[in-house]
Structures are given as C-alpha cells and as structure tokens.
C-alpha cells in the first residue's frame, strides 16, 4: 500500500469533518458542487482499490468499508457520487484490454471521476440497452434509467446486451454527444443533490478500443447476484450519524446507546459474512442480516426525527435529511432477491 490504513481513514474523517458535514444540509438542497468533487479527487480516496503500480492504494476491504461509512454518514449525496467511481476502477483493474492502461491511472489518482451506466442489466429479461457491432466498434441504443453524477463525472462505464446475449462494457465520456442525450435532473425525494438523470441512447457509437469487458449475460448475472445480498457500509454510516443526533439531544442518550449496540452487532455479522471466501454461499443469512441492518437504520433515523420534534420538519433539519437518506438506502441497488427478503421480514 502507498498509504497506511489509518492514514486513509484519517483522510476520510478530515474530509467529512472539515467539508462534508458542515455543508451537508446546503448540499442536500442545492446539489453536490464541483468544489466537493475536487476535494474528493484531491483526497486520494478514489484509488482505494486500485493497484499501487497505477497510483492506487490497494487498501484492504475493511479500510474501504470504514471510509464509505464515514463519507455516507457525513453527506450521503457526495458519497453516492463518489462511490460509483470504485466500480469502474474495479472493472478496469480486472480488464486485460488496452483501455486499462489508458484510463486506470487517471481514475486511481483522482485526475478523473467515473460513473456507471449499467445497473439496467439487472432488469433482465427486459433489455433496456442494446449493443450492436458497427463499423469496427459498437452502437448502443435504448435508455439508461438512472445515471448519477451527471455534470460531475468525467467518464462513465456503459453496458449493453447483444443479440447473442453477451454483455459489452465500454468507457465513454460523460457528456452529451451524438447518440447520447441526458434528461433534466430527476426530481427525487432523497439524494436529488447527486444529479441523477436518465440517458437516451440513439445510435451512440464507440470504438473497439473503448471496450472494458465482454462476457455472457448469464456469467454477469451469476457474478452480480451475490453482491447486493450483503449490507452496504452506507447503511451503517447513515445510521451512525443519526444516532449521533439522538445522543446529542435531550432525553436521547439511552436510546442512542441501545440502538448502537444493535447496530454494532449487525455490522459485525454482516461484514463477517461479506468476507466469506465463497460469495454464493449463505445467501439467506446475508439477506437476513441486510434486512436487520435496515431495521436498525429505520429505528435510528426515526429516533433522530423524534428527538428533534417539530424542528425535524424543517428542510434544513439534519434529522430529516438523514431520514430521507435512510429511505433512499432501503431501495438503493435493490434486486428481486433483496426486495422479497425485505418484504418478508417486514411482514
């Protein structure tokens, strides 16, 4: 590693304490500013998972989780923009194609910020985006329903499905261009600040040199399914932040202490299972711990609202912002398996 684990965590805490927390309510109402993105780029945290030889830190997964918790609890909108970046870094790290040497270093060092345009692959058997070989490259047609960080990201990883049921991942510039048109920003109850749009693709053409990965759709589904059965670090980060609000309120200390015990217990169990060497095993246990994490998140954010009383209804209230961010996390990255397990637990 180029930076010790404690130094990376310290950087995340400084970023959170000095910038993200003091401006979180303003960002929630006005949007993630470019200055926040520049601060994240300078922090060195965008290369957490990238190889050292490409300018990254090759940090252990425990460090990644802790920094994600810190950033999500500080300003969930800024966290959501930057967390997209780590997936393209991982894809490029594992790629053996020429695009790796062209883009991995600027992504690892924070020169460029990346977003993702491929969660629609989970909509199968619907195919929202088609990829067709064309003129020595690839043409993309369809709709990306959700793309976060528009106007903030420099590049994006886009995916489409071919007629042969193969998934093609490519890197593209994150800007309006022939064949790619963004919608106005989506009006959302939470994290509207993260600048989420939909993308209309009408003959977007990219050269073969832009390809990051190609694999059968069934193989993608097999690799992707276990990922969202694990609890997200952001859930624990937002819950922790809400419990800080509760603990600092009148009459809230004992409630915060009791809920923090539950939160720590679920976190330990969820991370232990996430570290299991076989990701396809213990799926039911993973889902059960994920839904328990949601239970504590809901309780923590509700307690913050209750502790704030009528003041929590003000749009500038930290408790209300955290409650809306918690609502967002209940459905972020939701798959059919997660939805069924969560609804069953709620029943």
């Amino acid at each position: 590693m180029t930076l010790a684990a404690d130094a990376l965590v310290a950087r995340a805490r400084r970023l959170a304490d000095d910038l993200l927390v003091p401006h979180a309510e303003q960002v929630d109402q006005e949007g993630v500013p470019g200055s926040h993105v520049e601060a994240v780029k300078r922090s060195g945290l965008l290369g957490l998972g990238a190889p050292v030889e490409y300018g990254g830190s090759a940090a252990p997964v425990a460090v990644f989780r802790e920094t994600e918790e810190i950033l999500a609890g500080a300003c969930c909108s800024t966290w959501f923009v930057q967390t997209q970046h780590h997936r393209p870094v991982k894809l490029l790290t594992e790629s053996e194609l020429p695009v790796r040497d062209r883009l991995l270093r600027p992504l690892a060092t924070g020169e460029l910020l990346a977003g993702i345009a491929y969660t629609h692959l989970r909509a199968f058997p619907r195919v929202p985006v088609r990829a067709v070989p064309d003129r020595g490259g690839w043409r993309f047609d369809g709709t990306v329903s959700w793309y976060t960080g528009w106007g903030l990201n420099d590049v994006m990883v886009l995916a489409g499905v071919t007629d042969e049921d193969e998934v093609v991942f490519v890197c593209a510039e994150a800007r309006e261009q022939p064949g790619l048109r963004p919608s106005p920003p989506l009006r959302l109850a939470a994290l509207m600040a993260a600048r989420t749009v939909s993308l209309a693709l009408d003959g977007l053409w990219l050269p073969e040199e832009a390809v990051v990965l190609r694999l059968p759709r069934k193989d993608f589904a097999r690799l992707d399914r276990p990922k969202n059965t694990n609890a997200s670090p952001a859930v624990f980060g937002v819950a922790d932040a809400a419990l800080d609000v509760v603990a600092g309120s009148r009459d809230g200390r004992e409630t915060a202490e009791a809920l923090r015990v539950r939160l720590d217990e679920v976190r330990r169990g969820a991370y232990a299972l996430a570290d299991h060497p076989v990701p396809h095993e213990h799926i039911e246990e993973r889902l059960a711990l994920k839904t328990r994490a949601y239970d504590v998140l809901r309780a923590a954010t509700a307690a913050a609202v209750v502790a704030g009383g009528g003041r929590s209804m003000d749009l500038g209230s930290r408790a209300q912002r955290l409650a809306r961010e918690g609502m967002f996390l209940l459905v972020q990255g939701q798959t059919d398996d997660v939805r069924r397990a969560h609804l069953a637990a709620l029943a």
Side-chain angles (χ1 to χ4, degrees):
M1 288 173 56
T2 56
L3 283 172
D6 56 351
L8 290 166
V9 173
R11 286 190 176 196
R13 291 199 186 281
R14 280 198 305 273
L15 180 64
D17 294 342
D18 296 347
L19 179 66
L20 302 188
V21 171
H23 297 282
E25 279 67 55
Q26 180 182 356
V27 166
D28 178 58
Q29 296 301 308
E30 299 178 6
V32 176
S35 55
H36 272 41
V37 170
E38 291 305 313
V40 172
K41 287 181 173 181
R42 291 192 303 269
S43 72
L45 298 175
L46 293 178
L48 278 175
V52 172
E53 60 268 29
Y54 283 87
S57 301
V61 67
V63 173
F64 176 78
R65 288 176 185 146
E66 189 169 0
T67 59
E68 289 283 281
E69 286 190 25
I70 292 167
L71 298 181
C75 176
C76 202
S77 293
T78 303
W79 162 79
F80 194 47
V81 171
Q82 69 81 39
T83 200
Q84 316 289 316
H85 177 91
H86 298 289
R87 299 183 193 181
V89 167
K90 182 174 175 57
L91 281 172
L92 284 164
T93 297
E94 297 172 350
S95 177
E96 298 179 354
L97 297 174
V99 69
R100 170 186 167 124
D101 289 330
R102 180 165 57 87
L103 284 179
L104 184 52
R105 178 170 291 277
L107 291 179
T109 59
E111 179 183 343
L112 299 177
L113 181 70
I116 59 171
Y118 61 77
T119 57
H120 51 269
L121 294 174
R122 295 174 183 147
F124 188 83
R126 289 193 302 111
V127 180
V129 176
R130 281 285 179 191
V132 178
D134 182 40
R135 294 173 288 150
W138 294 88
R139 189 183 77 245
F140 292 84
D141 295 280
T143 301
V144 176
S145 297
W146 300 88
Y147 180 81
T148 294
W150 185 258
L152 299 171
N153 295 325
D154 302 295
V155 297
M156 64 179 175
V157 171
L158 166 69
V161 180
T162 70
D163 290 340
E164 289 71 37
D165 209 26
E166 181 182 45
V167 179
V168 180
F169 292 85
V170 294
C171 270
E173 292 185 59
R175 62 174 178 82
E176 186 168 0
Q177 55 190 289
L180 190 161
R181 187 180 69 257
S183 73
L186 301 181
R187 293 183 56 81
L188 306 173
L191 272 71
M192 185 172 172
R195 303 198 195 185
T196 299
V197 299
S198 62
L199 301 176
L201 305 175
D202 183 14
L204 174 66
W205 183 87
L206 292 162
E208 185 66 31
E209 292 75 23
V211 174
V212 177
L213 177 68
R214 292 172 59 180
L215 77 168
R217 188 204 56 79
K218 288 183 178 179
D219 289 351
F220 167 80
R222 179 179 55 82
L223 294 170
D224 181 65
R225 181 179 178 244
K227 293 177 183 177
N228 282 348
T229 60
N230 294 314
S232 166
V235 168
F236 300 116
V238 171
D240 261 329
L243 292 180
D244 286 343
V245 172
V246 178
S249 69
R250 187 178 62 186
D251 303 325
R253 185 172 60 83
E254 290 185 7
T255 299
E257 289 175 354
L259 285 172
R260 207 175 293 281
V261 169
R262 289 172 55 192
L263 183 67
D264 290 343
E265 177 191 358
V266 176
R267 180 195 277 116
R268 284 193 298 272
Y271 287 169
L273 269 183
D275 289 335
H276 190 278
V278 184
H280 294 83
E281 292 184 359
H282 305 291
I283 294 296
E284 297 304 318
E285 293 174 62
R286 295 172 196 266
L287 288 170
L289 281 164
K290 187 181 182 85
T291 57
R292 285 179 60 197
Y294 287 151
D295 289 342
V296 185
L297 173 66
R298 285 195 309 274
T301 54
V305 170
V306 171
R311 295 184 303 277
S312 298
M313 293 300 100
D314 189 289
L315 283 176
S317 160
R318 180 154 298 183
Q320 186 203 106
R321 172 179 62 81
L322 290 166
R324 286 186 287 107
E325 291 172 351
M327 178 179 68
F328 164 80
L329 291 173
L330 296 181
V331 297
Q332 187 248 333
Q334 185 189 70
T335 62
D336 290 344
D337 290 342
V338 172
R339 181 175 57 254
R340 284 191 290 265
H342 197 178
L343 288 173
L346 288 170

